[in-house]
Amino acid sequence: MNTAIRHILTLLILLTALGVSAQRRITPVEPQSKGTTQAVTDTVTTGKPESVVEMTDVSGHTVLVDTISGVEYRDTILTTAPKLVYPRFESVSVGVNVWDPLLRCFGQKYGLVGFWGELSIHNWFKPIVEAGLGQAEMTPDNGNYTYKSAVAPYFKIGLNYNFLYNSDPAYSVYAGVRYGISNFSFEVTDVRVNQGYWGDDVIINVPSQRATVGYVEAVVGLKVMIFKNFYLGWDVRMHSVVHQSNLPYGEPWYVPGYGARTSSFNASLSISYTLPLHKRKPAEVAAESEE
């Protein structure tokens, strides 16, 4: 009886040992390659073979390496951002758009002034907000009406993309988008209507109307430093109205922040001041970008 019990206990011990041995999993030891760091990802969560590990190359991109065959390939799901020289919050800028005041000196009949503020993230993406005032009073050359728009505010929000994000921030070439909106009043007076060969002209006035107009802009421009932390910037804007109030007497000819409805393009000329949020020499930036 004791012999049978000993045999049963021995069999149970052997089965237990085999079960524990079957649950063990050996992860291959990966050789450390020069200039890279690696992180092994669990096969259960990624679905990759156990011999494939994630590694970061010298350019900062994530690659997959088969530790058995040594083959490297990129995983599009694991695509990472390029190596960035500047910190997350690189600088803050404030500026004034003097395009409309300048053109009014040369006879333009609309526009006032605009202001903007911008946050530089890695000197790469730059959220921006704009606000300003617009006004118009225009009589065409033939003098058959006068368009008047009272002083009204406008607001814009958008984002710029700096193509020179790892270069000296004294220069930037960017593209961006804006959404703008304005609520304003306008009227058309002294509208001369010709009554025909035998009739006299009739003068009518269109009652004042209030409109809310929203529009989008695509922006392309450049900015250069002209003095320490002071910049001069130019850009060209293609815009389009996306929504507006239903009006009984027609659409407004001028929209604050947008300009005249007769053109799909506008421009800006800005003087700005940039407050750096860190200290970094351009020579250091150039050296790091070449690594």
Side-chain angles (χ1 to χ4, degrees):
M1 183 68 177
N2 292 334
T3 303
I5 292 175
R6 284 198 303 271
H7 286 315
I8 292 173
L9 291 175
T10 301
L11 182 60
L12 290 174
I13 293 171
L14 288 173
L15 290 175
T16 302
L18 288 174
V20 171
S21 178
Q23 291 178 2
R24 292 178 61 193
R25 183 176 62 187
I26 300 175
T27 301
V29 178
E30 322 299 344
Q32 188 78 11
S33 58
K34 184 179 179 181
T36 63
T37 57
Q38 58 186 18
V40 178
T41 305
D42 193 350
T43 306
V44 176
T45 59
T46 64
K48 300 190 298 292
E50 192 172 334
S51 61
V52 176
V53 296
E54 296 176 16
M55 304 179 68
T56 303
D57 63 17
V58 293
S59 300
H61 299 287
T62 299
V63 296
L64 300 182
V65 179
D66 191 325
T67 56
I68 296 177
S69 65
V71 176
E72 295 184 9
Y73 59 94
R74 293 183 183 276
D75 187 350
T76 55
I77 298 177
L78 300 174
T79 301
T80 59
K83 182 179 179 181
L84 300 173
V85 171
Y86 291 96
R88 177 176 298 175
F89 301 115
E90 192 268 332
S91 64
V92 174
S93 301
V94 292
V96 55
N97 181 4
V98 297
W99 180 257
D100 281 339
L102 183 63
L103 290 187
R104 294 202 78 149
C105 294
F106 293 93
Q108 180 175 281
K109 302 300 183 181
Y110 58 85
L112 285 179
V113 67
F115 303 91
W116 55 267
E118 180 184 73
L119 172 65
S120 175
I121 301 176
H122 295 298
N123 193 39
W124 189 16
F125 291 101
K126 300 186 178 184
I128 186 171
V129 293
E130 300 183 28
L133 298 172
Q135 179 269 343
E137 183 171 351
M138 191 274 297
T139 301
D141 294 337
N142 58 13
N144 64 341
Y145 71 90
T146 297
Y147 178 94
K148 295 181 181 180
S149 176
V151 176
Y154 67 85
F155 304 94
K156 299 181 186 181
I157 186 170
L159 181 71
N160 287 338
Y161 178 97
N162 179 20
F163 295 99
L164 305 180
Y165 54 86
N166 276 346
S167 300
D168 188 344
Y171 308 92
S172 63
V173 178
Y174 59 89
V177 293
R178 307 279 190 277
Y179 169 77
I181 191 168
S182 179
N183 180 269
F184 59 100
S185 63
F186 69 97
E187 62 182 8
V188 182
T189 61
D190 301 327
V191 180
R192 187 178 299 273
V193 180
N194 193 312
Q195 295 295 303
Y197 182 78
W198 297 107
D200 294 331
D201 291 346
V202 176
I203 305 298
I204 62 175
N205 295 318
V206 177
S208 178
Q209 304 176 85
R210 178 160 289 275
T212 298
V213 178
Y215 50 91
V216 293
E217 295 179 329
V219 181
V220 177
L222 59 90
K223 185 172 68 172
V224 297
M225 186 165 63
I226 56 176
F227 188 67
K228 185 177 181 180
N229 294 339
F230 285 91
Y231 289 76
L232 189 64
W234 305 266
D235 65 45
V236 177
R237 307 183 176 202
M238 183 175 70
H239 49 206
S240 178
V241 172
V242 292
H243 65 85
Q244 66 179 4
S245 304
N246 292 322
L247 302 172
Y249 300 107
E251 300 176 344
W253 171 78
Y254 166 80
V255 178
Y258 180 98
R261 295 283 292 272
T262 54
S263 175
S264 298
F265 293 90
N266 202 347
S268 76
L269 175 62
S270 294
I271 301 172
S272 61
Y273 176 81
T274 296
L275 176 64
L277 301 180
H278 71 103
K279 293 182 178 180
R280 195 180 193 86
K281 296 180 181 179
E284 297 175 355
V285 174
E288 293 191 19
S289 61
E290 292 175 358
E291 293 180 356

